[in-house]
Amino acid sequence: MTFCPKIQLAHDGPEISKLIQGYWRLADWDMNSQQRLSFIERHVESGVSTVDHAFIYGDPACESLFGEALKLAPQLRREIEIISKCGIVSARPGKVAHYSSSKSDIVASVETSLKRLGTDYLDILLIHRPDFLMDADEVAGAFQALKQAGKVNHFGVSNFDAAQLSLLQSRLDAPLVTNQIELNPVNTQVAESGLLEYLQERRIRPMAWSCLAGGRVFNDTSTAMQRLRNTLQLLVHELSASSIDQVIYAWVMKMPSQPLPIIGSGNVRRMQEAVAALSLPMSREQWYRVLSAARGRDVD
Ligand code: NAP
C-alpha cells in the first residue's frame, strides 16, 4: 500500500502530509462519532495526517462533528495537523452574507473553531476568501495576537490572487505558507490566470480544492464533460491506474507549483486510491491531452 509522505511548507513552515483530507462534506457523510473516528484513523494510517476545516463548513458545524470524534481518542491530536479557515460570515435574518477580516472577527472565529474541535491550537489558519475591505495591517495584528497566544502556529490564505497575497505578505514577518485554490481540469481559469507562476516564483505550494470538480467529473452529462471523461478513461488504461480520480490527482500534482490535493471523499477506498496516485507518472503529452479535452481545443 502506498504511504503518503510529509513535506515542509515554506521556510520554517509546518510539516504536513502531501495529501490533505477535506472535511467540508462531513455533515453529509451520515457517520456517528465512532465511524468518524474510524475514518480519521484510516486516513492517518495511510499517512494523510493533515485535515482541512473551515468555520463555515456544515450545519451542524463539521468542526464540532470532528471534535466529537477526536474526544474519543484525544492522543490523535498529536498525530494530525489541523487547518481551519475564517472570514466568511453567513447570512442571517436581515443581514446578507459577507466577508470579514477585522481583527476581532478573526480572533473570535478561531476561538470558536478551537472550542468546536476540542483543541488548544490550529496548525494553520487561512483567510477563507479575499475580503474587499481587507486592511492588511489589521489582519497582521490578528495573526500576531493569535500566534503570541499559542492559538495558531502558521498562517496562509485561500482563493487570493497574486496582488492580494502580496499585499498581506508585505505586512507579515513570517511567510504565508499556502494559498488554497480551486484546481481541476474542469475549471482551468485559476490555472491560466498566472497565479500558479506567481506561487512557483515564491515557492508557495498551493493546496488544491475540488480536484474532482466536486464530483461533476463523474455525473455531469454535458458533451464537454463526456469528452473529458473519455480522455481520462483512456489514460486510466495507459497509466494502469485504477480510476479516473487517480488520473486527475496525478494531473494536478504534475504542475510545477507542486499543489497539494485536498481529498473531498468520505469513502476510505477513494481516499486510499488518492494516496496511490502519488506514484502515478504522467507524461507532458498526457497532461496536455487532459487540458485539450477540458478546453475542447488543442494548444496552437
Ligand atoms: P472533490 O474531490 O472535487 O469532490 C468530492 C465529491 O466527489 C464527493 O461528494 C465525493 O463523493 C465525490 N466523488 C469522489 N470520487 C468519486 C467517484 N469516483 N465517483 C463519484 N463521486 C465521487 O472535492 P471537494 O469536496 O469539492 O473539495 C475537497 C475539499 O477542499 C473540501 O472538503 C474542503 O476541505 C476543501 N475546499 C476548500 C474550498 C475553499 O474555498 N478553500 C472550497 C471547496 C472545498 P464520496 O464522498 O461519496 O466519495
Side-chain angles (χ1 to χ4, degrees), residues 21-25 29 52-53 57 85 128-129 158-159 180-181 208-215 218-219 245 249 262-267 270:
Q21 178 63 50
Y23 274 96
W24 172 28
R25 300 175 193 271
W29 292 346
D52 184 65
H53 282 278
Y57 290 165
K85 313 184 202 78
H128 204 151
R129 293 210 170 255
S158 178
N159 304 301
Q180 192 177 110
I181 54 180
W209 60 261
S210 289
C211 295
L212 310 176
F218 307 99
N219 50 36
D245 316 27
Y249 286 123
I262 310 175
I263 304 165
S265 177
N267 175 308
R270 287 179 180 157

Side-chain angles (χ1 to χ4, degrees), residues 52-111:
D52 184 65
H53 282 278
F55 177 89
I56 195 80
Y57 290 165
D59 184 12
C62 297
E63 291 178 328
S64 301
L65 297 175
F66 189 91
E68 281 169 20
L70 207 52
K71 220 174 176 178
L72 301 175
Q75 74 286 355
L76 252 186
R77 177 63 186 98
R78 289 192 298 277
E79 296 176 41
I80 62 175
E81 302 82 37
I82 302 182
I83 303 165
S84 194
K85 313 184 202 78
C86 63
I88 303 181
V89 183
S90 307
R92 52 182 199 280
K95 309 268 184 210
V96 295
H98 57 283
Y99 301 144
S100 176
S101 54
S102 75
K103 183 176 177 183
S104 58
D105 282 346
I106 291 175
V107 171
S109 177
V110 167
E111 283 170 352

Side-chain angles (χ1 to χ4, degrees), residues 46-286:
S46 299
V48 180
S49 58
T50 306
V51 298
D52 184 65
H53 282 278
F55 177 89
I56 195 80
Y57 290 165
D59 184 12
C62 297
E63 291 178 328
S64 301
L65 297 175
F66 189 91
E68 281 169 20
L70 207 52
K71 220 174 176 178
L72 301 175
Q75 74 286 355
L76 252 186
R77 177 63 186 98
R78 289 192 298 277
E79 296 176 41
I80 62 175
E81 302 82 37
I82 302 182
I83 303 165
S84 194
K85 313 184 202 78
C86 63
I88 303 181
V89 183
S90 307
R92 52 182 199 280
K95 309 268 184 210
V96 295
H98 57 283
Y99 301 144
S100 176
S101 54
S102 75
K103 183 176 177 183
S104 58
D105 282 346
I106 291 175
V107 171
S109 177
V110 167
E111 283 170 352
T112 303
S113 292
L114 293 177
K115 256 191 222 120
R116 289 169 169 177
L117 290 158
T119 184
D120 298 336
Y121 68 97
L122 296 177
D123 294 274
I124 307 177
L125 174 72
L126 308 180
I127 303 289
H128 204 151
R129 293 210 170 255
D131 174 9
F132 289 95
L133 302 177
M134 177 177 84
D135 175 334
D137 289 310
E138 190 172 349
V139 176
F143 285 4
Q144 198 184 14
L146 288 165
K147 176 95 182 172
Q148 270 171 5
K151 291 177 179 170
V152 179
N153 290 341
H154 301 277
F155 300 91
V157 294
S158 178
N159 304 301
F160 273 42
D161 68 20
Q164 292 156 345
L165 193 151
S166 179
L167 164 62
L168 182 55
Q169 184 62 73
S170 73
R171 304 297 201 273
L172 302 172
D173 297 332
L176 289 164
V177 297
T178 192
N179 186 10
Q180 192 177 110
I181 54 180
E182 181 178 8
L183 275 184
N184 59 55
V186 176
N187 176 5
T188 55
Q189 240 179 326
V190 175
E192 293 178 76
S193 69
L195 179 60
L196 291 175
E197 287 74 11
Y198 174 86
L199 296 175
Q200 189 185 164
E201 182 190 337
R202 281 161 180 72
R203 301 193 191 284
I204 300 173
R205 290 182 75 160
M207 293 176 183
W209 60 261
S210 289
C211 295
L212 310 176
R216 277 178 57 217
V217 172
F218 307 99
N219 50 36
D220 188 316
T221 54
S222 65
T223 315
M225 202 67 81
Q226 191 57 53
R227 183 182 58 232
L228 176 61
R229 254 196 309 273
N230 291 344
T231 298
L232 292 168
Q233 198 56 56
L234 280 174
L235 286 168
V236 169
H237 296 300
E238 275 181 37
L239 296 169
S240 303
S242 54
S243 64
I244 281 181
D245 316 27
Q246 286 193 328
V247 175
I248 297 178
Y249 286 123
W251 187 84
V252 168
M253 289 188 284
K254 174 92 180 155
M255 297 187 212
S257 52
Q258 302 184 309
L260 307 163
I262 310 175
I263 304 165
S265 177
N267 175 308
V268 171
R269 184 182 52 78
R270 287 179 180 157
M271 175 278 295
Q272 288 169 338
E273 284 191 350
V275 176
L278 285 166
S279 52
L280 213 61
M282 179 177 274
S283 72
R284 280 171 178 265
E285 188 275 335
Q286 288 165 330

